[in-house]
Amino acid sequence: MSVLPDPGASRAVLIGTSRYDHLEQLPAVSNNLNALADLLTGPLSLRMPAPHVTVVENPPDPATVMEPLRQAAEEATDTLIVYYAGHGLVDTHDALTLALPHTQPDRVETCLNYDWLRQILLGSPAERHIVLLDCCYSGLALGRMSASEGLADQAAVEGTFLLAASAETRTALAPVGDTHTAFTGALLDTLLHGITGGPPLLDLETVYRHLRLTLEARGHPVPQARNRNSGARVALARNHADLPAARVTAAAGPEPDNRPWPDPASIRTVTGFFTNLAAVREASGLTQQEVSRRSAGRISTGSLSRLVNRDTLPATWATAAAYLSACGVPDDQIRQWHSAWQELRRDAATTQEARVAAPLGDAAESGKARGRLSNLWRGRGH
């Protein structure tokens, strides 16, 4: 079953080099980074909070990449997305290296070794890893995922998917004058506009198959992919080509059980709760006014807007339940939503109790320490 990552528990690091001292310039890479960051944080993809998407453009040295990558890898518990666009090179051991602005092809220390990146991913608590490589010879990275030494096989996590722009011996394509590189441009177009007749969620396996057909038809290098465990089932967007129309009448639209409802079981954070809550209305194909009308006056359009744009959980369940019901969500899923809300409320309460207890504990310990010092002082006085 395909699943959208919880944006609150996911992180993305987008790395790109567009300017080089010793290699051909790739101005489209800068556009790649900006467009992909906007997509991941926008309503057409994962709605990730802006601080969860880190853009590292034209890093002067490998350390400039490794530090934000290490931080994101430590923070992600759901999905970690790593993207690189730029020149890919092959070192003397036939391994993939990623070029940086000051890279000299004959000096390996000026490159970012792909295996260094891989080691960071191995230590991440994220359940799923997505690696997107838009560079020459990016297919070499697939060899690092073989049964003998693969990322997915060595990492104690579920789900790894690597999507590479070209095979080991093919160069990626950056058409002169195009806004984006060929691979990333096709990826962005797929996620923004969807796939006609495709599944409700654009999981990585579906995206990969569509990119192969699209790029091959254009005469561009054909991407390669490698999947381990359930990585291919991770989705980067809903299929906007087949979503219900923005405005429908009360009787129009698909039957409720056939709609691409967000999965409440995938919710782990408050951010994920509201992101999926907003996506419910999109899946329903209803306007805010229609949802309000269907709620029989229980939710005004103003309160509906406030509900999906909150950043703290509502203290009561009634409004969210009325909203879900008015959108046409099946009763069994509404019960799952309720369970997710209850779980998040419990987590919030536990966190608050821990915050309150910590200073009290510190104060008590300080009091004991003062008592010990006082007794020691009195003892010295005798």
Side-chain angles (χ1 to χ4, degrees), residues 72-307:
E74 292 172 351
E75 294 175 352
T77 55
D78 187 308
T79 300
L80 175 63
I81 302 170
V82 179
Y83 167 90
Y84 171 83
H87 285 298
L89 303 173
V90 181
D91 68 12
T92 55
H93 300 287
D94 292 329
L96 176 66
T97 62
L98 309 177
L100 304 179
H102 307 306
T103 289
Q104 299 182 47
D106 58 342
R107 296 190 178 183
V108 66
E109 70 274 11
T110 62
C111 302
L112 174 62
N113 192 306
Y114 176 76
D115 275 346
W116 299 348
L117 181 152
R118 171 177 167 269
Q119 289 300 321
I120 295 294
L121 300 185
L122 287 172
S124 173
E127 291 188 6
R128 293 173 284 264
H129 295 148
I130 299 171
V131 181
L132 306 172
L133 298 177
D134 188 355
C135 60
C136 304
Y137 309 111
S138 53
L140 285 171
L142 301 176
R144 299 300 180 267
M145 297 177 66
S146 64
S148 61
E149 57 178 17
L151 166 63
D153 295 315
Q154 290 189 20
V157 296
E158 178 184 342
T160 302
F161 193 91
L162 190 151
L163 184 57
S166 65
E168 295 181 17
T169 57
R170 291 293 303 277
T171 58
L173 190 65
V176 177
D178 281 11
T179 303
H180 305 291
T181 57
F183 171 80
T184 298
L187 174 64
L188 290 167
D189 184 69
T190 300
L191 298 178
L192 286 170
H193 301 109
I195 302 173
T196 301
L201 295 179
L202 295 180
D203 60 62
L204 287 164
E205 180 63 30
T206 300
V207 169
Y208 165 60
R209 291 198 305 266
H210 182 72
L211 290 180
R212 281 188 65 91
L213 293 173
T214 299
L215 292 170
E216 186 174 27
R218 296 174 182 173
H220 293 171
V222 176
Q224 308 292 311
R226 183 65 59 83
N227 172 52
R228 286 293 182 268
N229 300 323
S230 61
R233 300 273 68 86
V234 181
L236 293 180
R238 297 186 178 280
N239 188 1
H240 303 289
D242 287 340
L243 281 177
R247 289 182 175 272
V248 296
T249 63
E255 290 299 318
D257 290 345
N258 294 330
R259 295 175 185 170
W261 299 118
D263 180 13
S266 68
I267 297 172
R268 302 164 182 267
T269 64
V270 173
T271 299
F273 182 88
F274 289 111
T275 295
N276 284 279
L277 202 63
V280 165
R281 188 181 64 79
E282 295 178 14
S284 75
L286 301 172
T287 64
Q288 289 189 355
Q289 291 78 8
E290 183 63 21
V291 172
S292 177
R293 190 190 67 77
R294 288 186 174 203
S295 73
R298 288 177 291 175
I299 314 175
S300 66
T301 55
S303 60
L304 187 154
S305 180
R306 288 191 295 273
L307 172 65

Side-chain angles (χ1 to χ4, degrees), residues 46-70:
L46 302 183
R47 290 188 173 92
M48 295 178 69
H52 290 191
V53 179
T54 302
V55 175
V56 183
E57 185 172 4
N58 294 316
D61 51 57
T64 308
V65 176
M66 300 298 280
E67 286 307 314
L69 179 60
R70 183 175 287 107

Side-chain angles (χ1 to χ4, degrees), residues 342-374:
Q342 290 178 315
E343 185 66 27
L344 290 171
R345 291 276 296 174
R346 283 193 292 269
D347 290 346
T350 301
T351 301
Q352 181 62 27
E353 289 175 1
R355 289 174 178 171
V356 171
L360 290 177
D362 292 344
E365 186 60 31
S366 297
K368 293 178 182 178
R370 286 194 297 271
R372 288 194 295 269
L373 288 172
S374 177

